[in-house]
Amino acid sequence: MEAFDTDEAAYLRFATRDQAADYAASLEDGFVIHYIVMDFAGRDDASKEHQRWAMERLAGTWQDYEGTFPGR
């Protein structure tokens, strides 16, 4: 697993989609797409709008995302 932090979220990249989905299911406030999980825990200083934009940018990376985005 690889990880990095931004103001909006902690990003975690897993080896498989199943690993990412399993980890995301354990979070109270997260978003998953393909192999990457965004964990919003402790990111209370980030604006909800910027967190939403970050989700949209990540989803746009693959250009095949058809899901919804969690309310921020």
Side-chain angles (χ1 to χ4, degrees), residues 24-72:
S26 73
L27 300 177
E28 287 187 34
D29 191 9
F31 175 70
V32 62
I33 181 164
H34 295 282
Y35 303 89
I36 299 176
V37 176
M38 294 176 73
D39 183 355
F40 300 109
R43 300 302 199 264
D44 300 328
D45 291 339
S47 77
K48 301 301 181 193
E49 182 179 42
H50 286 163
Q51 289 176 324
R52 173 66 182 247
W53 292 346
M55 286 186 284
E56 291 173 354
R57 282 191 309 272
L58 181 61
T61 299
W62 285 276
Q63 299 182 10
D64 66 350
Y65 185 71
E66 296 180 1
T68 59
F69 298 99
R72 299 290 325 127

Side-chain angles (χ1 to χ4, degrees), residues 7-27:
D7 291 339
E8 290 79 28
Y11 293 77
L12 301 103
R13 186 173 76 174
F14 292 85
T16 69
R17 290 180 182 198
D18 287 340
Q19 288 174 340
D22 289 346
Y23 184 82
S26 73
L27 300 177

